[in-house]
Amino acid sequence: GRKDAAVALDGVIDVISTALTAGNTVTLIGFGTFGVKEKAAREARNPRTGEIVKIKASKAPYFKAGKGLKDQVNK
């Protein structure tokens, strides 16, 4: 039922999160790929004050939809 689906989904999310934290990508065939992109350190300007601020390097999770999901959405 609904409770079992929620438990299963929580398990899948935990596995994906753990893999991304370890620097791995996760591909679900026909659905898409979860991964992590490295963002380099950079300088940016605060639009309010004009002050230049340094933004440290970081990592950002991403999701890229697979062909099967794109085709399903565009039916």
Side-chain angles (χ1 to χ4, degrees), residues 30-65:
F31 184 71
T33 301
F34 296 88
V36 176
K37 289 184 181 177
E38 302 269 343
K39 293 186 170 189
R42 62 190 170 92
E43 290 184 347
R45 186 177 303 275
N46 180 327
R48 269 194 204 142
T49 65
E51 177 187 8
I52 293 186
V53 293
K54 293 184 186 288
I55 300 173
K56 65 182 181 178
S58 64
K59 297 176 184 177
Y62 72 86
F63 173 75
K64 181 178 178 190

Side-chain angles (χ1 to χ4, degrees), residues 5-21 26 28 34:
V7 169
L9 181 58
D10 285 347
V12 170
I13 290 171
D14 186 49
V15 168
I16 293 171
S17 298
T18 301
L20 295 181
T21 300
V26 177
L28 303 175
F34 296 88

